[in-house]
């Protein structure tokens, strides 16, 4: 469902594993264009996404993969439940999806969420690091830890604005208007304007800017961090190029005023001024790090880094979102994901398996310990 900027080689990979694939978009012609560009016009069927059309074609056991905005997922999942079909997306879990997940479990259907890049690959990295630290430090021992997870879609060639828009510009601005909750200095901290918590982050020889995003705290339980370990730092956030905060100062001033009409207008202006064109290459950087200091003096640290630049054939964002989602769909098809709602693979063992499978399929990343 949807043939936008995140529809990449994951769709191509699915055509090799599913008996039949249909691509739904605003018009059948647009869907056909995407299939032709991906070189799979002979392996998938284009469809126009119109009210009732999907429901009319669903059969029990189908998997509906949504690349649509998250706001459309509850209605789409309801259609799946009525048609006894599974559902997969890369978006965060919402209260509505969680409630529908219970109905899916009762019906023996799988609802896969948070299975893209961020959220998605970041979860795999975090599960892997936490599992390794638990084995080294001991889950039963007291310890202090710092876990940071930062991800950003960046222009491969920096411009003066330090950013190019490749998805809904209003969504980018509204995300900055949402408060962020994270742990810093051992205490919860809520930042009304996330950019005001921006700090420098050195990755190798390159310096980035990073700030907290959304609500990080619930992920402590999701990542299975031992209850006897104390969080000194726990933050999931957004990565930007060095100089971003300075370049965006006029934008922040508009966001602080809170004028919805003006912000919508500004989004359009920025998208026209700093678009991602066919000539531009994007870059995705994802960094997840964990350091644990045990009460017994033992310390363990590890980190993952994914740094990918897009090509003429496929953007970095399309590759890193679509490939893990396609892998998750394949695991729905082989029945290795349980009924009900899953946030990607929810155990460290399964996360390691997914990372190995993604690496075999050409997703490059590095892991360092010590």
């Amino acid at each position: 469902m949807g043939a936008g900027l995140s529809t990449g080689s994951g769709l191509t990979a699915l055509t090799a594993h599913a008996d039949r694939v249909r691509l739904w978009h605003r018009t059948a012609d647009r869907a056909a264009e995407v299939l032709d560009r991906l070189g799979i016009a002979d392996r998938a069927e284009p469809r126009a996404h119109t009210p009732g059309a999907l429901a009319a074609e669903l059969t029990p056991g189908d998997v509906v993969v949504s690349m649509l905005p998250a706001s459309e997922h509850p209605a789409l999942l309801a259609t799946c439940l009525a048609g006894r079909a599974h559902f997969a997306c890369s978006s965060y879990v919402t209260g509505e999806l969680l409630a529908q997940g219970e109905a899916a479990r009762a019906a023996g259907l799988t609802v896969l969420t948070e299975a893209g890049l961020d959220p998605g690959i970041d979860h795999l990295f975090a599960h892997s690091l936490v599992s390794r630290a638990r084995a080294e430090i001991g889950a039963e021992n007291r310890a202090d830890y710092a876990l940071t997870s930062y991800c950003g879609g960046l222009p491969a060639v920096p411009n003066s604005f330090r950013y190019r828009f490749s998805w809904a510009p209003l969504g980018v601005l509204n995300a900055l208007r949402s408060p962020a909750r994270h742990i810093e200095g051992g205490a919860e901290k809520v930042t009304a304007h996330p950019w005001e918590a921006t700090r420098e982050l050195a990755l190798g020889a390159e310096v980035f800017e990073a700030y907290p995003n959304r609500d990080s705290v619930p992920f402590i339980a999701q990542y299975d961090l031992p209850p006897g370990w104390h969080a000194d730092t726990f933050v999931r956030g957004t990565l930007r190029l060095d100089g971003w905060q300075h370049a965006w100062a006029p934008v922040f001033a508009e966001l602080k005023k809170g004028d919805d009409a003006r912000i919508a207008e500004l989004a359009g202006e920025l998208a026209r001024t700093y678009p991602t064109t066919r000539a531009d290459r994007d870059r995705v950087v994802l960094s997840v790090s964990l350091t644990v200091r045990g009460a017994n003096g033992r310390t363990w640290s590890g980190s993952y880094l994914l740094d990918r630049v897009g090509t003429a054939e496929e953007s970095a964002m399309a590759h890193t979102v679509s490939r893990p989602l396609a892998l998750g769909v394949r695991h729905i098809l082989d029945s290795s994901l349980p009924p009900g709602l899953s946030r990607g693979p929810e155990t460290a063992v399964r996360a390691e398996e997914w990372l190995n499978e993604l690496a075999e399929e050409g997703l490059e990343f590095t892991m360092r310990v010590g």
Side-chain angles (χ1 to χ4, degrees):
M1 306 297 295
L5 294 171
S6 294
T7 300
S9 58
L11 174 60
T12 304
L14 276 180
T15 62
H17 294 273
D19 295 331
R20 192 172 187 182
V21 175
R22 294 166 179 159
L23 177 63
W24 299 73
H25 201 49
R26 288 187 297 273
T27 67
D29 287 344
R30 171 60 179 145
E33 290 174 10
V34 173
L35 295 177
D36 186 61
R37 174 172 57 81
L38 293 174
I40 55 174
D42 60 335
R43 288 182 276 163
E45 307 167 24
R47 291 287 191 276
H49 182 202
T50 58
L54 175 66
E57 291 203 31
L58 275 185
T59 58
D62 284 351
V63 184
V64 174
V65 186
S66 178
M67 306 299 282
L68 301 177
S71 59
E72 298 191 37
H73 290 164
L76 196 55
L77 179 50
T79 299
C80 291
L81 294 176
R84 298 193 59 78
H86 307 284
F87 176 81
C89 70
S90 61
S91 301
Y92 283 102
V93 171
T94 63
E96 290 176 290
L97 290 187
L98 202 58
Q100 290 174 297
E102 289 305 311
R105 186 191 309 277
L109 300 172
T110 298
V111 177
L112 174 64
T113 64
E114 300 184 13
L117 167 65
D118 174 10
I121 298 174
D122 56 344
H123 293 348
L124 305 182
F125 288 170
H127 277 301
S128 174
L129 293 174
V130 170
S131 175
R132 294 166 189 269
R134 287 170 66 100
E136 181 68 23
I137 299 297
E140 70 285 354
N141 296 324
R142 293 177 58 192
D144 296 317
Y145 68 88
L147 188 151
T148 61
S149 178
Y150 292 109
C151 184
L154 316 166
V157 178
N159 59 354
S160 61
F161 193 56
R162 319 304 284 172
Y163 190 81
R164 288 191 180 278
F165 290 90
S166 59
W167 67 288
L170 187 58
V172 176
L173 299 188
N174 281 335
L176 286 166
R177 300 173 72 187
S178 301
R181 184 168 72 127
H182 63 289
I183 294 176
E184 183 179 321
E188 289 189 14
K189 182 176 181 180
V190 176
T191 306
H193 304 126
W195 67 85
E196 294 179 345
T198 298
R199 69 178 186 90
E200 289 188 349
L201 179 67
L203 297 176
E206 192 170 359
V207 176
F208 296 87
E209 294 182 359
Y211 61 90
N213 186 24
R214 302 171 64 96
D215 186 355
S216 299
V217 177
F219 291 90
I220 292 175
Q222 185 168 327
Y223 292 161
D224 198 25
L225 282 148
W229 291 8
H230 175 258
D232 180 67
T233 301
F234 189 92
V235 56
R236 300 178 72 257
T238 300
L239 198 69
R240 293 290 181 249
L241 292 174
D242 186 34
W244 168 82
Q245 193 174 31
H246 175 74
W248 278 55
V251 176
F252 300 148
E254 295 280 9
L255 295 180
K256 278 189 172 182
K257 294 176 183 177
D259 185 331
D260 291 346
R262 171 54 190 148
I263 291 171
E265 180 183 40
L266 177 63
E269 294 171 3
L270 293 174
R272 290 188 293 273
T273 306
Y274 305 105
T276 298
T277 70
R278 290 188 177 276
D280 296 312
R281 297 290 170 261
D282 71 329
R283 179 186 181 192
V284 164
V285 179
L286 169 61
S287 169
V288 182
S289 299
L290 173 64
T291 298
V292 183
R293 297 178 180 86
N296 58 5
R298 299 177 68 180
T299 298
W300 183 92
S301 65
S303 63
Y304 276 96
L305 177 64
L306 182 158
D307 190 344
R308 187 180 185 92
V309 174
T311 65
E313 292 73 31
E314 182 179 33
S315 71
M317 188 63 69
H319 185 89
T320 53
V321 172
S322 71
R323 296 305 296 228
L325 183 56
L327 177 61
V329 173
R330 282 158 47 191
H331 287 310
I332 294 176
L333 292 172
D334 67 18
S335 301
S336 61
L337 277 175
L341 187 142
S342 294
R343 295 172 171 89
E346 296 191 326
T347 67
V349 171
R350 291 288 284 152
E352 292 285 359
E353 292 173 355
W354 280 39
L355 286 174
N356 290 334
E357 290 171 304
L358 289 170
E360 290 172 359
E361 294 178 2
L363 185 71
E364 298 179 357
F365 53 84
T366 57
M367 193 269 284
R368 291 185 173 85
V369 173

